[in-house]
Amino acid sequence: MSKKKEDIGKLYHKLHQLQKRMTRMEENAGHSDEKQQIRQTRINELLTAIKGSGRKKKRA
C-alpha cells in the first residue's frame, strides 16, 4: 500500500487487535509469551505510522 493513501482506520484496527492480544497474554500465563517482543515492536511501528515520524521541515 502506498504511504500517501494509508487508511488510518485500518491502522487503528490493527493496533487495537495487537493491544488485545498483549493484554490476553499478560492475563493468561503461558499464552504466546514468545511473541511479546514481536507484538510490542509492531505496536510501536503502527503508532509511528498513525502519528507520523515527528516534526516536518518547513519549506522556504
Side-chain angles (χ1 to χ4, degrees):
M1 181 181 274
S2 71
K3 293 290 181 182
K4 292 181 183 178
K5 299 286 182 175
E6 279 186 331
D7 185 10
I8 300 297
K10 189 174 187 178
L11 296 177
Y12 274 116
H13 179 74
K14 289 180 180 184
L15 177 66
H16 186 62
Q17 292 292 323
L18 282 170
Q19 288 173 335
K20 289 195 300 187
R21 289 181 186 135
M22 290 290 285
T23 301
R24 194 176 307 125
M25 187 181 63
E26 291 169 2
E27 290 175 355
N28 301 327
H31 186 85
S32 301
D33 288 332
E34 64 276 359
K35 295 183 181 180
Q36 179 180 9
Q37 186 60 39
I38 296 168
R39 289 178 176 158
Q40 189 61 48
T41 302
R42 184 67 181 136
I43 286 173
N44 292 339
E45 290 172 359
L46 286 170
L47 284 173
T48 302
I50 291 170
K51 292 180 182 178
S53 61
R55 292 185 56 158
K56 297 182 180 179
K57 294 181 181 179
K58 290 184 179 180
R59 293 185 189 182

